[in-house]
Amino acid sequence: MNGLLRRAGGALGVPAVLFAGVVVAASLATTGPPSLERLAVGGLVNVVLVVGLYVFVGNSGVWSFGHMSFALIGGYVAGLLALPARLKGQLLPDAPALVRDLHSGPFVAVVVGGLAAAVVALVVAVPLSRIGGLSAGLATVSLLIAISAVAAQWQSVTRGQKGLSSIPTSTTMPVALAWVLVALLIAWTYQRSSYGIRLRASKSDEIAAAASGVSVPVQRGVAFVLSAFLTGIGGALFALQLGSINPDVFYLDYTFLIITMLVLGGAGSLTGAVAGSVAVSVLAEVLRRAEGGSLLGLPVPSRPGLADVVLGVVLVVMLLRRPGGLTGGRELRLPRRRGERHRPPTVIPDASEESALAGAVAGAGPEPRREDS
């Protein structure tokens, strides 16, 4: 039993340390005014969204610019479920009876919001999983535009551009932390599973992975659906924190903010996803206050648009000087216990190593023998 617990602790060591770091950062925010705590909760929601995007992008190497459409779906579904039936009868008199009558607690609303996003992802994953590169990026942008247009025009259910309001708020600091832990565990378990290994092999060398017996479209589809589920949960948490949602919330601005977090932290590792989301959340808030004329408590000239300019410059400099992000695509390296065998840090292996590992997982057979010269 002790050996099993030690192995479990080692396997979950990275997400545990990452979660501890997030808890420390969030705890510091609780020592400030209530507004700072609300911003910290929003930062935790961003962590869930970035981790959700990482599950697909970080493991497949295919960039998606439309993942916020799943956050929009999750937010609307959770908001509709959280709204009391009496209030929905007033706000949505023309909605179907099923929409008006259904009501649930916040936990169920968040889970169902994630599942609704996963169902939509399952439908679109069939064509999207077969394309990559620029074509995949354009296709996901089209998905974001389409979902936003539906939300803006479906007056009877979403109230169009007015959006949903008066949603009971329930995303507190403990709730957000709990969902961050869930997202980290799901992402870490997936990337260490046989599905994650096969997908990462296709990321390094798609042709070699396919030759090793990996079905690249299937593996991308699995990651896409799981990623959409976590992103939908993030959108649901957002709606239940803000108390309202509209079609413009999760559009291009939020999309590029989440992508910036992932790129700056390092899209190749879960550690990078968490580090980037925390770092950019803090930097964006400092810049936002500077825009309003206050920098670290000191009065400064207000500069509207400063946050967007600085984040853009930081992103360009990072792409030029350190394309792998803050972590360089590496996971957190944990100290070894006394007597434990040496294990190399978790890094992204090269194409030949990943393809060979994927072939072994997929049952492609042993490596060919080397002939003596």
Side-chain angles (χ1 to χ4, degrees):
M1 179 62 71
N2 291 334
L4 179 62
L5 291 176
R6 282 197 299 271
R7 287 194 298 272
L12 300 178
V14 170
V17 173
L18 292 177
F19 179 68
V22 172
V23 170
V24 171
S27 300
L28 293 176
T30 60
T31 60
S35 60
L36 186 60
E37 183 173 347
R38 288 194 297 270
L39 291 172
V41 174
L44 294 175
V45 174
N46 287 340
V47 173
V48 176
L49 291 170
V50 175
V51 170
L53 179 62
Y54 161 77
V55 168
F56 178 70
V57 173
N59 291 291
S60 70
V62 178
W63 281 94
S64 170
F65 300 100
H67 255 59
M68 288 303 98
S69 60
F70 302 125
L72 191 64
I73 293 171
Y76 268 106
V77 171
L80 288 170
L81 287 175
L83 278 172
R86 176 185 56 81
L87 187 56
K88 276 190 287 189
Q90 299 174 0
L91 295 176
L92 305 168
D94 299 327
L98 182 64
V99 174
R100 294 199 311 268
D101 297 338
L102 278 181
H103 176 71
S104 69
F107 175 76
V108 175
V110 170
V111 173
V112 174
L115 291 175
V119 170
V120 175
L122 182 62
V123 174
V124 301
V126 176
L128 287 181
S129 61
R130 298 182 178 277
I131 57 178
L134 179 60
S135 299
L138 293 175
T140 53
V141 169
S142 300
L143 176 64
L144 175 63
I145 295 173
I147 296 297
S148 298
V150 170
Q153 300 300 324
W154 201 357
Q155 295 282 346
S156 62
V157 174
T158 65
R159 299 186 73 222
Q161 290 290 350
K162 297 178 181 178
L164 298 179
S165 58
S166 303
I167 301 173
T169 57
S170 58
T171 304
T172 60
M173 180 76 75
V175 171
L177 283 172
W179 280 111
V180 167
L181 178 59
V182 170
L184 290 176
L185 291 176
I186 291 176
W188 182 252
T189 302
Y190 169 75
Q191 79 175 46
R192 289 170 59 92
S193 69
S194 60
Y195 294 97
I197 293 172
R198 294 185 188 119
L199 185 59
R200 294 179 87 90
S202 70
K203 170 185 175 180
S204 297
D205 193 327
E206 184 175 344
I207 297 177
S212 299
V214 176
S215 177
V216 177
V218 171
Q219 301 306 324
R220 285 181 181 173
V222 171
F224 193 74
V225 173
L226 182 60
S227 176
F229 173 71
L230 292 177
T231 306
I233 285 178
L237 293 173
F238 181 93
L240 297 186
Q241 181 207 7
L242 195 62
S244 63
I245 187 170
N246 63 70
D248 297 328
V249 170
F250 294 112
Y251 204 52
L252 295 180
D253 289 347
Y254 214 140
T255 293
F256 288 109
L257 176 63
I258 296 300
I259 291 176
T260 299
M261 291 178 178
L262 184 59
V263 171
L264 291 184
S269 66
L270 181 60
T271 304
V274 175
S277 58
V278 173
V280 175
S281 292
V282 174
L283 178 60
E285 178 56 25
V286 172
L287 294 174
R288 188 188 66 82
R289 291 178 180 270
E291 286 183 348
S294 174
L295 181 61
L296 302 178
L298 301 176
V300 296
S302 60
R303 292 289 185 270
L306 178 66
D308 293 337
V309 172
V310 172
L311 286 177
V313 171
V314 171
L315 179 60
V316 172
V317 172
M318 182 64 75
L319 289 174
L320 292 174
R321 305 297 299 175
R322 194 176 177 86
L326 296 174
T327 61
R330 293 175 171 83
E331 295 292 359
L332 186 69
R333 184 175 182 178
L334 303 179
R336 303 194 309 275
R337 293 185 294 270
R338 179 178 297 180
E340 186 179 5
R341 290 183 302 175
H342 172 72
R343 292 182 180 178
T346 303
V347 298
I348 304 302
D350 60 24
S352 59
E353 290 174 339
E354 276 195 326
S355 299
L357 183 57
V361 172
E367 294 181 354
R369 293 184 301 171
R370 295 180 179 177
E371 296 181 359
D372 297 332
S373 55

